[in-house]
Amino acid sequence: MSEERINKLRLELRRGVLILAVLGATKTPQYGYSLRKHLNDAGIDIDEGTLYPLIRRLADQALLDSEWKHAEGRERRYYILSETGHEVLNQLTLDWQQMNNSVSTILSSEEG
Amino acid sequence: MELVDRYIQAVKWSLPKNKQDEIARELKANLLDEIEASTQSKTPDDKTVAKVLESHGHPQKVAQSFSTQYPLVASEDMPLYKKVMTYAMVVLFLFAVVMGGNHLIEEQSVNAFAYLYIVISNFIDTAALVLIAVTLVFYYLGKIGELQKWRYSAWSPEDLPPLHAKRIAKSDSVSEITSSAFGLLILWTSLWMSEEVADKLILGLAPAMEHWRWILTIVAVYSLLSATYRLFKRFWTKTSLGLYIAEYLIYIFGFLYLSTLPQLIIVTNPKASELSPIIKGIFTYGWLGGAAVMALICVSLVRKWLKL
């Protein structure tokens, strides 16, 4: 299989966990670039074209609260998990753990 | 940084008005952070800035990622959309063929190119309007969530076709519907054709055979309805195929009977009276030829029926 096709499958695999990763990373206040760096440092490589619209969508869905802050002569929009976001994150974390266990079981049984 | 401001402006132009300022403000903040992180210098040069902007992507692409676009027709509605458009185009094409024929009769012309031109231009005119109308209807109904119930017809496992059922080709049903509809139009020109054009028709039913108009209408209507039924129930059962074979037997015996009668179709226009012997000859052998063709089709249908 070509590298391009594998990358497309990788993208599909990552798409589902990106929301969980972003919600998890915004337990502490983050602005766009800091969130991207935080995710990159944790091993989740995400481009700005994907991340910035995603955090806006999560904010529109009331999963993140935001406010503009001025520091170092510039303004930045900081995001933090809302109350609803906390509930959703807890539920998604449980779902993720269950799925992770199930997939690990399948993969280890396939290996025999 | 002029380049950044120009980039933001380009993105803004592709955003909905109510979101422009808000998204532009945040985008600028993010871009300045990206630029600062990509260089150690407090005043980055245009080359560095341009590189960051390029990696961010085309302004229109960035704008699209921030505003959710609702497609004209959602992907899950495409099969239904295609089905509706296909049926609409078939009906419109038939309409264009009939109108083209009407025009030729009116002009007393047998110019094939003129006929083709009229058919194609009529079809394109009406098809374009129908395409717009159907797409708008799908867009509106899709947006308010009313298309879901139309995507798939009601079903139950018990109603599914039997195993190894023979499928009926959609094109067969469509061509039967088309020819039945065409036959009805020809039989009842008095209902839709102007007197002026009708007077120019060359052929018509013989006065003594007027009652055949009703007989042929009943046959055409039955054929139209049964073909329409087969368009939705697209597999043969012993009953449906048996009825279809009975239909063909009626055609065969009907054609044979008509070949024994005085002429059914005659030249009605005095200006074309020299065609009378030719028309008589065509229809005398035409009924027999038609019966023979129908008989051959009937034989293959019976074979199919026996295998069911």
Side-chain angles (χ1 to χ4, degrees):
Chain A
M1 185 180 269
S2 68
E3 194 60 33
E4 195 189 325
R5 286 176 75 182
I6 293 178
N7 283 339
K8 275 190 177 167
L9 291 171
R10 264 193 203 116
L11 208 67
E12 294 239 10
L13 186 64
R14 277 158 38 100
R15 204 171 277 149
V17 298
L18 226 46
I19 290 172
L20 182 58
V22 167
L23 290 177
T26 47
K27 278 191 275 200
T28 54
Q30 303 278 351
Y31 57 92
Y33 181 73
S34 74
L35 180 58
R36 188 176 163 218
K37 194 166 179 314
H38 184 67
L39 292 170
N40 276 344
D41 291 343
I44 297 180
D45 187 27
I46 177 171
D47 65 76
E48 54 277 84
T50 306
L51 179 62
Y52 299 151
L54 175 59
I55 51 179
R56 277 194 64 88
R57 269 200 303 278
L58 294 174
D60 289 343
Q61 289 166 19
L63 298 178
L64 302 175
D65 290 327
S66 68
E67 61 171 341
W68 285 96
K69 284 182 183 168
H70 288 259
E72 297 162 5
R74 273 208 273 123
E75 61 171 2
R76 292 186 176 97
R77 190 174 180 181
Y78 282 79
Y79 292 90
I80 190 164
L81 212 52
S82 67
E83 210 176 294
T84 312
H86 269 290
E87 287 167 21
V88 170
L89 175 61
N90 289 341
Q91 186 56 59
L92 289 181
T93 305
L94 274 170
D95 292 345
W96 162 255
Q97 282 163 353
Q98 276 166 8
M99 259 194 305
N100 196 24
N101 290 338
S102 304
V103 173
S104 297
T105 308
I106 290 169
L107 291 175
S108 58
S109 68
E110 291 297 312
E111 281 167 14
Chain B
M1 290 190 213
E2 197 199 320
L3 265 182
V4 173
D5 292 331
R6 283 163 64 190
Y7 184 82
I8 303 286
Q9 180 184 253
V11 172
K12 268 178 92 166
W13 281 352
S14 298
L15 286 168
K17 239 183 168 61
N18 61 336
K19 290 189 176 178
Q20 279 177 359
D21 292 335
E22 191 192 331
I23 292 173
R25 187 183 177 191
E26 191 169 348
L27 184 61
K28 186 168 183 178
N30 291 331
L31 282 170
L32 292 176
D33 283 329
E34 299 271 349
I35 291 164
E36 190 183 294
S38 69
T39 177
Q40 298 304 314
S41 167
K42 279 207 180 269
T43 49
D45 59 10
D46 279 356
K47 211 173 166 182
T48 309
V49 173
K51 215 173 168 185
V52 170
L53 295 179
E54 273 167 14
S55 71
H56 220 79
H58 195 287
Q60 279 178 349
K61 188 180 167 200
V62 170
Q64 273 166 21
S65 67
F66 277 105
S67 59
T68 40
Q69 303 280 335
Y70 189 81
L72 282 174
V73 180
S75 55
E76 53 269 24
D77 295 324
M78 277 310 287
L80 179 62
Y81 178 76
K82 279 186 191 171
K83 201 191 265 190
V84 169
M85 285 307 302
T86 304
Y87 291 148
M89 291 301 129
V90 166
V91 169
L92 289 178
F93 186 72
L94 173 67
F95 180 73
V97 164
V98 169
M99 288 299 114
N102 194 44
H103 181 84
L104 282 188
I105 295 165
E106 203 173 356
E107 300 297 314
Q108 295 276 275
S109 161
V110 286
N111 188 330
F113 292 109
Y115 177 67
L116 259 175
Y117 174 78
I118 290 162
V119 168
I120 290 170
S121 58
N122 271 347
F123 175 70
I124 289 172
D125 278 345
T126 45
L129 284 172
V130 166
L131 177 66
I132 293 168
V134 170
T135 305
L136 286 175
V137 166
F138 266 76
Y139 174 70
Y140 173 69
L141 290 180
K143 223 171 166 194
I144 62 172
E146 280 298 308
L147 272 176
Q148 270 182 351
K149 57 189 174 200
W150 296 99
R151 271 181 210 148
Y152 305 105
S153 52
W155 75 287
S156 71
E158 290 78 19
D159 289 338
L160 288 171
L163 215 52
H164 310 305
K166 293 276 177 226
R167 207 117 149 87
I168 301 172
K170 210 188 284 188
S171 54
D172 288 349
S173 303
V174 169
S175 66
E176 280 186 40
I177 290 170
T178 310
S179 45
S180 302
F182 199 70
L184 284 169
L185 286 170
I186 297 296
L187 283 169
W188 296 98
T189 53
S190 56
L191 294 179
W192 61 275
M193 206 179 257
S194 67
E195 241 179 80
E196 213 177 48
V197 175
D199 286 342
K200 293 178 185 172
L201 284 172
I202 294 171
L203 302 176
L205 280 178
M209 307 294 265
E210 263 302 314
H211 56 285
W212 275 93
R213 194 186 300 277
W214 290 101
I215 297 170
L216 293 172
T217 298
I218 291 166
V219 172
V221 166
Y222 175 77
S223 177
L224 179 71
L225 291 174
S226 62
T228 308
Y229 176 79
R230 285 193 297 276
L231 200 57
F232 294 99
K233 285 271 186 206
R234 288 182 52 207
F235 59 93
W236 289 118
T237 60
K238 240 175 156 86
T239 310
S240 63
L241 186 52
L243 284 170
Y244 193 51
I245 291 168
E247 204 180 309
Y248 264 80
L249 289 171
I250 291 171
Y251 294 145
I252 293 166
F253 289 116
F255 280 18
L256 289 172
Y257 180 63
L258 284 169
S259 69
T260 65
L261 289 181
Q263 220 171 326
L264 178 70
I265 293 167
I266 56 169
V267 174
T268 51
N269 195 326
K271 289 182 189 171
S273 54
E274 71 272 16
L275 292 172
S276 286
I278 301 167
I279 299 297
K280 191 175 178 183
I282 289 172
F283 277 97
T284 303
Y285 295 106
W287 295 128
L288 293 171
V293 168
M294 297 274 175
L296 285 171
I297 296 171
C298 204
V299 164
S300 77
L301 289 173
V302 169
R303 278 204 193 125
K304 212 184 265 183
W305 184 83
L306 290 169
K307 284 182 189 164
L308 282 176

